[in-house]
Amino acid sequence: MAEPRHTRLRRRTLVGSAAWAVPVLVTANAVPAVASSMKTDLAIDVVDPPYDLDHWRPRDEVPVYRGPKGHRIAARGSLPPSIRITNVGRLAAVDPSGSVEIIIRDYGNDRASSAPGRLKAGTTNPSVMWTDTTNQSGAKYKYTCRGELRPGQSIDIPLRYFVNPPFLHAEFNVLVAAWVEDQQEGDYDDNSLRIGHVPWISVF
């Protein structure tokens, strides 16, 4: 379920703590004092996993594929389907960028998985440059949305989850955390996280 906005943690402290309408733009030449004081202000949301509110249970609808390019579905889970970046400021943002981390934990005992970086993700948005920076603690990525994001505009980054065979894992939870870079320090909309769930995966 969605984390309340006021409980979200600041970007650079998130992983350590969790451990486990468009206005007219002015140019710098026209009004230098006003233009120089404006800063880019972006917000990011990890979109809620599908959930059945009538029966209070996750809906296993988001596919996890066999391999990064394969079309065979290895499993389905209640996973965040995308990440959304919105320009909430008054200044256009060029090539918005940030990072994403995916951490899996065993469902039964909430322990760190023995395969922390094996559930991976890419994106189907061709305008997003997606770079894998995975290490031993989990799957990590850097992204850049190529182009200009004007005030009031949003861009969606669909997530395409996959595992490389062989992979066998019992039921597990998935933390998807994301950050976006802007020039506003100290606000709480530069990071977002959601918890998802996968019943099991068996791929050989």
Side-chain angles (χ1 to χ4, degrees), residues 8 52 65 95 102 105 111 119 126 128 130 138 140 155 163 176 181-182 185 187 194 196 200:
R8 295 181 185 168
D52 183 351
Y65 291 94
D95 296 342
I102 299 173
R105 297 182 71 87
R111 292 179 180 171
L119 177 67
V128 177
W130 187 267
K140 299 182 180 182
I155 183 171
V163 292
V176 179
E181 298 291 337
D182 62 16
E185 292 294 334
D187 53 353
R194 295 291 185 273
W200 59 270

Side-chain angles (χ1 to χ4, degrees), residues 79-120:
L79 296 167
S82 63
I83 295 166
R84 181 173 298 121
I85 300 168
T86 303
N87 189 336
V88 295
R90 296 190 297 155
L91 187 68
V94 178
D95 296 342
S97 61
S99 58
V100 176
E101 184 165 359
I102 299 173
I103 300 173
I104 63 178
R105 297 182 71 87
D106 295 336
Y107 179 80
N109 54 29
D110 195 36
R111 292 179 180 171
S113 169
S114 59
R118 297 292 304 281
L119 177 67
K120 304 175 77 66

Side-chain angles (χ1 to χ4, degrees), residues 11-82:
R11 114 181 111 200
R12 299 187 181 91
T13 63
L14 175 63
V15 173
S17 300
W20 114 254
V22 179
V24 177
L25 294 178
V26 296
T27 65
N29 291 332
V31 189
V34 174
S36 63
S37 66
M38 293 199 306
K39 298 179 179 180
T40 57
D41 191 3
L42 302 174
I44 191 167
D45 280 299
V46 177
V47 175
D48 290 327
Y51 196 84
D52 183 351
L53 292 175
D54 292 333
H55 299 91
W56 292 96
R57 64 187 181 195
R59 294 204 315 261
D60 296 327
E61 297 179 351
V62 178
V64 179
Y65 291 94
R66 186 182 190 274
K69 303 293 185 181
H71 298 288
R72 177 181 166 189
I73 296 174
R76 294 182 184 271
S78 176
L79 296 167
S82 63

Side-chain angles (χ1 to χ4, degrees), residues 5 9 11 41-44 178-192:
R5 185 173 294 277
L9 305 176
R11 114 181 111 200
D41 191 3
L42 302 174
I44 191 167
W179 296 260
V180 67
E181 298 291 337
D182 62 16
Q183 296 171 340
Q184 296 286 348
E185 292 294 334
D187 53 353
Y188 289 86
D189 57 3
D190 293 346
N191 61 76
S192 177

